[in-house]
Amino acid sequence: AGSKVNSTFQVSLDLYKQGKTIDAIAEERKLSKQTIESHLSYFVAEGELLVDDFVPKDKQELISEAAGLFGVISLKTLKENLPEEINYGEIRMVLASMKE
């Protein structure tokens, strides 16, 4: 209803709300996992989804600290300065959640 939200983002959100995983949505939509993560991170930034659903608290803290130290311009810089088990999708989600 008069929403500015890009419909492709909305489709990803709807599938996610049906309980599908990011991997499953990517497969179903023939899109990359990164694309789906960026769709969903938009809704995290909007406050419609919780970052807690995607990223464990301990990782959120590490990513927030790294963002404080290295800034949020380069995901690559953050990735290089974080533990290996933290992926780009998680970084993207946390940065989205930090947007005021």
Side-chain angles (χ1 to χ4, degrees), residues 68-86:
L69 287 172
F70 304 102
V72 297
I73 308 304
S74 166
L75 288 185
K76 187 169 186 285
T77 302
L78 292 176
K79 177 88 177 87
E80 285 166 357
N81 287 283
L82 284 161
E84 219 162 277
E85 68 271 12
I86 293 179

Side-chain angles (χ1 to χ4, degrees), residues 20-38:
K20 294 196 157 88
T21 63
I22 289 175
D23 289 319
I25 298 167
E27 199 168 305
E28 182 170 325
R29 302 201 60 203
K30 310 263 186 291
L31 294 167
S32 75
K33 186 178 170 184
Q34 285 79 7
T35 300
I36 304 304
E37 285 169 345
S38 72

Side-chain angles (χ1 to χ4, degrees), residues 11-99:
V11 174
S12 295
L13 178 67
D14 293 342
L15 290 169
Y16 177 75
K17 286 189 165 167
Q18 287 166 25
K20 294 196 157 88
T21 63
I22 289 175
D23 289 319
I25 298 167
E27 199 168 305
E28 182 170 325
R29 302 201 60 203
K30 310 263 186 291
L31 294 167
S32 75
K33 186 178 170 184
Q34 285 79 7
T35 300
I36 304 304
E37 285 169 345
S38 72
H39 290 172
L40 296 178
S41 72
Y42 170 85
F43 295 103
V44 170
E46 292 292 301
E48 231 180 292
L49 293 175
L50 292 173
V51 68
D52 298 359
D53 294 345
F54 301 100
V55 188
K57 284 270 190 237
D58 55 330
K59 285 187 178 181
Q60 287 181 41
E61 283 167 24
L62 290 170
I63 295 166
S64 293
E65 280 170 29
L69 287 172
F70 304 102
V72 297
I73 308 304
S74 166
L75 288 185
K76 187 169 186 285
T77 302
L78 292 176
K79 177 88 177 87
E80 285 166 357
N81 287 283
L82 284 161
E84 219 162 277
E85 68 271 12
I86 293 179
N87 64 44
Y88 279 108
E90 291 170 325
I91 297 170
R92 203 175 272 124
M93 291 292 180
V94 173
L95 295 186
S97 75
M98 289 164 62
K99 287 196 177 121

